[in-house]
Amino acid sequence: MARPLPRNLLADLTAHKRLLLCLEYDGTLAPTNSNPDDARPLAGATVAINRLIADRDDVVIAIVSGREARTTRRMLGIFGGLYFVGLHGIEMLDLDD
C-alpha cells in the first residue's frame, strides 16, 4: 500500500537546492473526465500553485499535458510564473509567455 508523502517534504527539498516540480494536468491537477474539455482543477490546486510561484528562487513549476500548452494554461487559469509543456513535450510556454 502506498504511503503518504512526508509532511515537510517540499520544505526539506527546497532547503538544499532549487526544485523543479512537474505536474500533469489531467489526472493530477484535474480529475480525468469523459469529456476532456470539462476537466477543471481540483479545489485548492490553483491556490497551492500560486503559493509556490510566489517563491521562484526555491521552486520552478512546469505543468505538463498532452493538450496544447495554451489550452492547459487557460483551463488552469494561471497565466504567469510557471512553464506549460504541451503536446507531450513538443511545445513549451515560458514563465511569462
Side-chain angles (χ1 to χ4, degrees), residues 20-26 61-73 82-95:
L20 171 62
L21 181 60
C22 299
L23 302 169
E24 170 70 24
Y25 184 78
D26 291 291
I61 300 174
I63 308 300
V64 182
S65 179
R67 303 169 185 269
E68 291 183 354
R70 292 186 193 287
T71 300
T72 307
R73 180 177 62 185
L82 64 158
Y83 293 95
F84 285 88
V85 179
L87 302 174
H88 304 288
I90 293 175
E91 64 174 4
M92 183 174 85
L93 298 177
D94 287 331
L95 291 173

Side-chain angles (χ1 to χ4, degrees), residues 24-84:
E24 170 70 24
Y25 184 78
D26 291 291
T28 301
L29 296 175
T32 54
N33 195 306
S34 58
N35 181 357
D37 293 334
D38 292 337
R40 297 292 175 244
L42 292 165
T46 56
V47 171
I49 291 169
N50 279 315
R51 285 183 184 156
L52 291 170
I53 290 171
D55 196 357
R56 287 190 197 174
D57 291 338
D58 291 333
V59 180
V60 176
I61 300 174
I63 308 300
V64 182
S65 179
R67 303 169 185 269
E68 291 183 354
R70 292 186 193 287
T71 300
T72 307
R73 180 177 62 185
R74 179 184 48 77
M75 294 178 81
L76 184 61
I78 300 175
F79 295 92
L82 64 158
Y83 293 95
F84 285 88

